[in-house]
Amino acid sequence: MIPQYLIDFELNDLPVVQTDVIVIGSGIAGLYTAIMASATQKVLLITKKSLLESNTRYAQGGIAAVTAEDDSPGAGLCSSTAVDVLVNEGPVGVQELIRLGTMFDVENGELALTKEGAHSHRRILHANGDATGYEIVRALSIQVEMLHNIEVWDDHFVIDLVTEQGECHGALVQMPDGRRVFVRGRATIMCSGGAGQLYRYTTNPEVATADGVAMAYRAGADIRDMEFIQFHPTALSYPGAPRFLISEAVRGEGAVLRNIKGERFMPKYHDLLELAPRDIVARAIVSEMEATRSTFVYLDITHESPEMVKHRFPTIYETCMQYGLDLSSDWIPVSPAAHYMMGGIKTNLHGESSVKRLFACGEVSSTGVHGANRLASNSLSEAVVYGSRIVERIQKLPEPSEGPLHVSFQLGRKDAPSQAIVEKRLKLQKVMVRYAGLRRNRDTLLRAAEELGRQLPLFQALLSKREEYEFANMLTASLLVVQGALGREESRGAHYREDFPDRNDSVWQKHIVHTRDQEMTEELSDDV
């Protein structure tokens, strides 16, 4: 059993900081929601690193919205109501980003649009070619720093959410000097991003350690769809280089995939070729790697002009050049890497979790938009649309009681973790890649559960450092992924079971929901 809190504490012994809205995380979800909330509320934005360090920053391809006159909103493969909200309110959100200073690329006086995997239309806006996320974070960070109603705490770590009788009253926060404080607010918005660091190979930055999902789970919130982890098919796979994302948009502009023999292989796997859904492309790449006994395949856009490649993908081009690879003339070695968490904190259409006054926005949330397999570039627009909806709901919240809270937690923890956290972390990442990655089966998942279960004594240890809290969060989220993957005996979207290779709508047209104080449950879906 995972305890409700990672530390022993007596709330009345801690200093208290009072605010209206607590925003945890500084990606597009956190920044945008903080800006919107600050119009009427005092906001404290807490980030464990800095304003510019988040998954959003590394989003290259763009942001999806219906902006062209000949495009139209349509139902996705997910919750029809959630998708309806996204596609109909997305364009307004994009205009709001532009108003706040985001400079999207323009061609001939109109927004430049491109196409990405599994989209039926050119509807992806981009900025500086392939630096969309960075441009959005840049613009929003400037706004945050200008607004007097937003206070930013860099390098602060949120340890846990403080709840009493099913209501969230704020968070336990560790300051850079190690001191702890209770931040109390009328609403707490979790915008902490994803979980890529659960896997050895990921396009996510070091900060993506599933903190928000784990904190919300410990606080009693419903966590949904954790078995659906999306692997990006094309991350740079080259000695000495990080698993740098090679955007889907490169394939959208005509790049093809070749195995190490030089053979284009996607025609064997799907009619949409290189623009098939990500899970299909990623598994096709793994199949080719196994068949050719290679650790990578090639991405080839050498048939396009060097001028076009450099103009459209300047960041990717320059990064590859740092490692002696010329995107315009070389085949680029790539392989799949963990990229996006479709599941997360279950919310309604206003971002509300099952815990009162606790909201979730962005990748950490499960709104129903992405279903089992997110479409490219929908995550940025989701954060904007649902961020606005959260702020509308917060403004209607009744005032919380101002009396003292009687919250304490004592396990009598005395001993430090038994092994270096860096070793534990690496082992966890290897277990997840090997046994709960792109392809799974009952035997590998049981092995993963067994290996992860050996780390559970950590929750009885005396934790005091950021990396210890992060590992506890990674362990929590990994167990949820494995439990969900074991439970779902079918293949759907990003979840692929070799022992149940087919999708089974008659049994599994439903979600798996985890709650700390009860067994894993199932929930019927309105997916269409």
Side-chain angles (χ1 to χ4, degrees):
M1 181 73 172
I2 294 172
Q4 183 175 353
Y5 294 100
L6 292 182
I7 59 170
D8 292 351
F9 68 97
E10 180 70 53
L11 201 61
N12 292 333
D13 294 341
L14 294 174
V16 180
V17 173
Q18 187 81 40
T19 190
D20 295 327
V21 176
I22 305 162
V23 176
I24 303 169
S26 62
I28 182 174
L31 295 171
Y32 185 82
T33 307
I35 291 167
M36 292 297 105
S38 71
T40 58
Q41 312 278 327
K42 183 181 175 185
V43 178
L44 176 59
L45 190 154
I46 307 171
T47 175
K48 67 177 181 179
K49 201 162 185 184
S50 68
L51 279 186
L52 287 175
E53 188 61 17
S54 66
N55 273 354
T56 304
R57 175 181 177 170
Y58 299 93
Q60 299 167 350
I63 181 168
V66 178
T67 56
E69 290 182 9
D70 57 344
D71 196 2
S72 62
L77 300 172
C78 322
S79 164
S80 54
T81 49
V83 171
D84 213 37
V85 165
L86 179 72
V87 296
N88 286 295
E89 298 180 17
V92 175
V94 167
Q95 291 303 319
E96 190 65 17
L97 288 176
I98 293 170
R99 185 187 71 80
L100 291 169
T102 304
M103 293 184 285
F104 292 109
D105 293 341
V106 174
E107 289 178 2
N108 302 320
E110 295 184 353
L111 289 170
L113 302 176
T114 190
K115 184 175 177 181
E116 292 191 359
H119 281 277
S120 59
H121 209 281
R122 292 181 82 89
R123 60 166 70 94
I124 314 300
L125 296 87
H126 46 82
N128 299 321
D130 59 356
T132 311
Y134 184 83
E135 169 58 20
I136 292 172
V137 169
R138 179 204 65 78
L140 297 183
S141 295
I142 290 172
Q143 292 290 328
V144 164
E145 289 168 345
M146 288 168 49
L147 292 168
H148 69 276
N149 238 10
I150 302 177
E151 182 178 357
V152 177
W153 283 6
D154 281 333
D155 294 311
H156 285 63
F157 196 94
V158 180
I159 303 169
D160 267 311
L161 302 170
V162 175
T163 61
E164 189 174 61
Q165 297 181 330
E167 187 169 359
C168 181
H169 294 277
L172 294 171
V173 180
Q174 186 153 310
M175 307 178 90
D177 62 5
R179 288 181 300 140
R180 293 168 181 162
V181 62
F182 169 43
V183 179
R184 189 168 183 174
R186 64 195 303 267
T188 301
I189 313 174
M190 189 66 74
C191 306
S192 56
Q197 289 295 328
L198 301 189
Y199 291 87
R200 183 77 181 92
Y201 306 113
T202 179
T203 62
N204 292 184
E206 286 286 319
V207 293
T209 52
D211 302 319
V213 162
M215 273 188 270
Y217 175 76
R218 290 194 296 271
D222 290 347
I223 308 297
R224 182 171 66 181
D225 291 343
M226 286 298 290
E227 65 269 33
F228 298 118
I229 300 285
Q230 187 175 81
F231 286 75
H232 199 287
T234 54
L236 182 63
S237 182
Y238 194 69
R243 293 289 165 140
F244 179 77
L245 181 68
I246 307 291
S247 171
E248 195 121 26
V250 178
R251 282 173 283 136
E253 297 292 349
V256 299
L257 288 164
R258 302 184 186 278
N259 61 27
I260 60 165
K261 297 178 181 178
E263 301 162 340
R264 185 181 183 186
F265 56 83
M266 280 311 298
K268 292 190 295 186
Y269 294 95
H270 200 277
D271 291 343
L272 290 175
L273 307 174
E274 281 78 10
L275 290 180
R278 285 178 173 175
D279 63 296
I280 292 171
V281 178
R283 286 198 300 273
I285 289 172
V286 170
S287 295
E288 291 295 313
M289 285 162 48
E290 289 177 349
T292 60
R293 297 187 176 182
S294 173
T295 56
F296 59 86
V297 298
Y298 289 113
L299 187 66
D300 173 15
I301 196 171
T302 57
H303 52 277
E304 295 289 348
S305 72
E307 292 72 28
M308 176 272 182
V309 172
K310 293 175 189 177
H311 172 72
R312 180 65 182 84
F313 306 111
T315 308
I316 298 172
Y317 178 81
E318 289 167 15
T319 301
C320 288
M321 282 298 289
Q322 291 175 19
Y323 300 97
L325 299 168
D326 186 337
L327 184 65
S328 68
S329 61
D330 294 330
W331 294 357
I332 305 300
V334 295
S335 62
H339 183 60
Y340 192 87
M341 176 179 69
M342 264 79 72
I345 303 166
K346 178 189 169 187
T347 69
N348 62 15
L349 296 178
H350 300 280
E352 294 173 292
S353 76
S354 59
V355 175
K356 293 176 185 175
R357 297 184 185 274
L358 174 63
F359 298 78
C361 186
E363 188 172 355
V364 74
S365 68
S366 175
T367 60
V369 162
H370 304 304
N373 201 25
R374 178 179 72 96
L375 274 176
S377 296
N378 278 358
S379 54
L380 299 181
S381 43
E382 177 195 35
V384 171
V385 167
Y386 284 89
S388 296
R389 287 179 149 251
I390 287 169
V391 171
E392 288 175 11
R393 182 51 56 98
I394 286 173
Q395 290 169 347
K396 298 173 183 175
L397 283 177
E399 290 299 320
S401 59
E402 294 185 3
L405 299 172
H406 304 287
V407 180
S408 68
F409 190 79
Q410 304 292 334
L411 276 184
R413 297 162 163 129
K414 294 179 180 177
D415 299 322
S418 60
Q419 182 186 14
I421 290 296
V422 65
E423 294 175 15
K424 289 178 177 286
R425 179 170 172 147
L426 183 59
K427 183 168 185 181
L428 178 147
Q429 291 172 326
K430 288 180 175 178
V431 164
M432 292 299 287
V433 166
R434 192 170 299 156
Y435 304 128
L438 260 170
R439 296 188 303 199
R440 306 157 172 178
N441 61 57
R442 178 175 169 79
D443 290 342
T444 64
L445 290 166
L446 286 173
R447 179 74 183 273
E450 179 187 353
E451 295 277 353
L452 295 171
R454 291 176 184 163
Q455 300 287 358
L456 284 171
L458 178 92
F459 291 105
Q460 309 302 315
L462 186 66
L463 307 181
S464 61
K465 300 174 183 174
R466 168 179 152 169
E467 56 266 30
E468 294 169 349
Y469 304 139
E470 284 183 329
F471 179 75
N473 291 334
M474 291 169 67
L475 179 56
T476 302
S478 294
L479 286 164
L480 296 179
V481 171
V482 170
Q483 289 164 12
L486 263 171
R488 184 173 290 277
E489 294 184 335
E490 65 154 359
S491 291
R492 179 185 296 267
H495 168 68
Y496 184 75
R497 287 278 298 258
E498 294 170 318
D499 45 351
F500 296 96
D502 298 320
R503 178 169 157 171
N504 185 352
D505 284 345
S506 64
V507 176
W508 283 107
Q509 191 76 7
K510 54 192 174 185
H511 304 280
I512 290 177
V513 179
H514 307 263
T515 312
R516 192 180 70 87
D517 56 1
Q518 65 186 57
E519 293 295 315
M520 196 166 68
T521 58
E522 296 168 3
E523 167 191 284
L524 285 177
S525 167
D526 70 336
D527 288 6
V528 294

